[in-house]
């Protein structure tokens, strides 16, 4: 029998890479999607098959982390061996604007899911392993390098919510003997990264500037330093955590940090452009409290799980810039085609 997994946040960046990884390992993958008035499944459309297809390996269920009744129903229907809780309002700046919703989805949402699992395990006698998507943001102002023993010092409503979720997970592990693991992942990016996170915002702009569709890029704090890895490498660490004999907490990082300025410089240079000609500062992108320096020490993940990153900073930048140059070239062709159609009309 193939293993089955349930993923919250399957439509997000990590959800899509994790789905691909689990499918490659023969899993049946259940995912929770939010009802939206427009399609929100673009990142997983390539692995999704119609419900009438007997060979389908991805099953989507409507649900929301703010709705415990629905979560309970999906969990009972999917009866997974592994649950990956990736769903979240994941934007730090947005969390200052929507703090209550962020706490509801990210902190209480985790609690709701844990409580469903606790009951499910109790009344079915099944074994379910749970992965919680924790974040290096939880370290916030703590001095780098940060590892599993570093005390949390969250600096945003998002980070506070993730700290709460982390401790709910630890408490359910200890109180009910459940297999619950917290991944503490440092920033990870890809061509599928949401377009309002700084790396993708930069590489999208590079592509569009190169294609003549944009001439400026407005950014906030260029001095912040992050430990950026590739999302495809990081979902492998999530999976390894749930295959390990014991649950625990694991930092996942590359061990190298760069500033936003350095990312911008590298991304523009990868397209043969000088970033200083295009980047301007807009203070509206500054955060009320900033996280200045995140640098992870992933020794435990390497020693215990045999995990290490395969993609370095320059490969990541190149991968994202190339993808976004291709995307912008497509946009330019559509735009040129539309101009031609209108001029003929
Ligand atoms: P993402 O691209 O923003 O995806 C978030 C996912 O959560 C999307 O599928 C989104 O659905 C879903 N979601 C949002 N609110 C929800 C709700 N109320 N109920 C159910 N689903 C909801 O994030 P990501 O980069 O893949 O990150 C995955 C997880 O890892 C998140 O929990 C994030 O906080 C955490 N994390 C990320 C990083 C990173 O660098 N990427 C680092 C550490 C931790 P829609 O598609 O409908 O919006
Ligand atoms: N988004 C954004 N937009 N960030 C900017 C900008 C801008 O125009 N200009 C500068 N920055 C700076 C931010 O102030 C921050 O210091 C840094 O770039 C990174 O911002 P984001 O890419 O938005 O990511 P984040 O580090 O705040 O949060 C991401 O990583 C966390 C892990 O540490 C998200 O993916 C979180 O969900 C994740 O937990």
């Amino acid at each position: 029998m193939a293993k089955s997994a349930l993923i919250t946040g399957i439509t997000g960046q990590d959800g899509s890479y994790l789905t691909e990884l689990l499918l490659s390992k023969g899993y049946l993958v259940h995912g929770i999607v939010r009802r939206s008035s427009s399609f929100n499944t673009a990142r997983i459309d390539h692995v999704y098959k119609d419900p009438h297809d007997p060979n389908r390996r991805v099953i989507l269920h409507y649900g929301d982390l703010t709705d415990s009744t629905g979560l309970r129903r999906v969990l009972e229907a999917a009866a997974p061996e592994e649950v990956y809780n990736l769903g979240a309002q994941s934007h730090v700046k947005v969390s200052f604007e929507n703090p209550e919703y962020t706490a509801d989805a990210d902190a209480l949402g985790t609690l709701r899911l844990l409580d469903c699992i606790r009951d499910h395990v109790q009344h079915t006698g099944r074994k379910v392993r749970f992965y919680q998507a924790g974040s290096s943001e939880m370290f916030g102002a703590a001095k780098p390098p940060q590892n599993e023993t570093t005390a949390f010092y969250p600096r945003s409503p998002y980070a506070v919510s993730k700290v709460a979720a982390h401790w709910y997970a630890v408490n359910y592990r200890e109180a009910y003997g459940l297999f619950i693991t917290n991944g503490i992942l440092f920033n990870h990016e890809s061509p599928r990264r949401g377009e309002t996170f700084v790396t993708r915002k930069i590489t999208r702009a590079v592509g569009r500037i190169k294609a003549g569709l944009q001439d400026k890029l407005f950014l906030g704090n260029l001095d912040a330093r992050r430990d950026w890895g590739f999302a495809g490498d990081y979902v492998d660490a999530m999976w390894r955590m749930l295959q390990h004999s014991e649950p625990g907490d694991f930092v996942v990082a590359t061990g190298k940090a760069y500033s936003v300025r350095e990312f911008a410089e590298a991304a523009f240079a990868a397209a043969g452009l000088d970033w200083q000609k295009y980047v301007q500062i807009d203070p509206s992108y500054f955060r009320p409290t900033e996280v200045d320096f995140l640098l992870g020490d992933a020794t435990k993940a390497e020693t215990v799980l045999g995990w290490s990153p395969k993609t370095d900073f320059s490969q990541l930048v190149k991968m994202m810039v190339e993808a976004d140059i291709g995307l912008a070239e497509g946009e330019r062709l559509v735009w040129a085609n539309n101009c031609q159609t209108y001029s003929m009309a």
Side-chain angles (χ1 to χ4, degrees):
M1 279 284 281
K3 267 192 185 175
S4 83
L6 172 64
I7 305 176
T8 73
I10 193 170
T11 56
Q13 170 189 254
D14 291 5
S16 67
Y17 283 108
L18 180 63
T19 301
E20 285 173 1
L21 179 79
L22 296 179
L23 290 174
S24 75
K25 293 182 184 297
Y27 279 68
L28 178 65
V29 178
H30 292 266
I32 293 183
V33 294
R34 300 194 290 175
R35 147 74 190 151
S36 161
S37 66
S38 52
F39 288 117
N40 57 358
T41 54
R43 292 186 180 103
I44 52 167
D45 282 346
H46 62 294
V47 290
Y48 182 73
K49 287 197 170 82
D50 186 88
H52 305 97
D53 187 327
N55 296 319
R56 74 178 176 144
R57 312 290 303 155
V58 177
I59 300 173
L60 300 181
H61 308 258
Y62 280 116
D64 197 297
L65 284 160
T66 59
D67 174 4
S68 52
T69 326
L71 290 177
R72 198 166 286 268
R73 201 173 297 124
V74 173
L75 187 69
E76 297 297 333
E81 275 89 34
E82 296 171 11
V83 176
Y84 295 85
N85 184 32
L86 311 185
Q89 191 300 94
S90 72
H91 203 284
V92 172
K93 177 77 175 4
V94 172
S95 79
F96 288 99
E97 276 135 49
N98 296 312
E100 188 179 330
Y101 172 72
T102 303
D104 196 1
D106 299 11
L108 279 179
T110 304
L111 177 64
R112 290 184 185 102
L113 195 53
L114 286 169
D115 220 40
C116 293
I117 290 172
R118 170 191 166 196
D119 289 349
H120 177 78
V121 165
Q122 202 166 34
H123 79 74
T124 61
R126 298 183 63 253
K127 293 202 184 319
V128 179
R129 295 184 171 207
F130 182 88
Y131 172 84
Q132 168 55 21
S135 165
S136 51
E137 274 292 302
M138 302 190 298
F139 295 125
K143 202 166 152 278
Q146 296 99 357
N147 68 18
E148 294 82 2
T149 63
T150 306
F152 298 139
Y153 187 160
R155 298 266 288 169
S156 65
Y158 166 79
V160 174
S161 302
K162 284 287 182 181
V163 171
H166 174 96
W167 284 112
Y168 283 136
V170 171
N171 180 246
Y172 271 58
R173 179 166 75 207
E174 293 174 354
Y176 307 114
L178 297 170
F179 190 112
I180 295 172
T181 282
N182 286 298
I184 307 176
L185 273 53
F186 282 63
N187 299 51
H188 44 280
E189 320 293 313
S190 74
R192 298 183 198 168
R193 185 58 144 150
E195 295 187 21
T196 60
F197 297 97
V198 77
T199 55
R200 187 77 199 290
K201 183 171 166 183
I202 292 169
T203 60
R204 272 296 268 149
V206 167
R208 287 174 56 81
I209 288 168
K210 189 88 183 156
L213 297 170
Q214 184 174 329
D215 57 7
K216 277 191 181 56
L217 168 63
F218 292 99
L219 292 175
N221 177 14
L222 301 183
D223 295 322
R225 282 181 282 177
R226 290 292 183 274
D227 180 333
W228 279 297
F230 170 51
D233 293 344
Y234 284 38
V235 298
D236 175 49
M238 296 176 189
W239 177 78
R240 284 173 188 248
M241 285 180 217
L242 292 201
Q243 312 317 305
H244 188 54
S245 52
E246 307 281 329
D249 303 331
F250 293 91
V251 159
V252 177
T254 69
K256 295 209 168 64
Y258 298 85
S259 66
V260 172
R261 181 181 287 99
E262 285 169 317
F263 191 100
E265 191 175 353
F268 278 84
L273 300 169
D274 174 3
W275 72 282
Q276 298 195 74
K277 289 191 180 147
Y278 305 98
V279 173
Q280 291 189 10
I281 302 302
D282 176 350
S284 72
Y285 292 114
F286 292 167
R287 295 161 184 197
T289 38
E290 175 63 286
V291 169
D292 296 318
F293 191 1
L294 293 175
L295 172 67
D297 167 9
T299 307
K300 183 179 173 190
E302 188 169 355
T303 320
V304 178
L305 305 174
W307 179 88
S308 57
K310 306 223 168 353
T311 314
D312 69 17
F313 179 77
S314 57
Q315 290 168 317
L316 176 68
V317 171
K318 186 168 178 286
M319 177 200 311
M320 292 178 69
V321 167
E322 281 176 0
D324 279 332
I325 286 178
L327 189 60
E329 187 50 26
E331 281 179 68
R332 194 190 63 76
L333 290 175
V334 171
W335 177 81
N337 194 33
N338 285 345
C339 289
Q340 201 180 18
T341 309
Y342 290 129
S343 69
M344 284 159 61

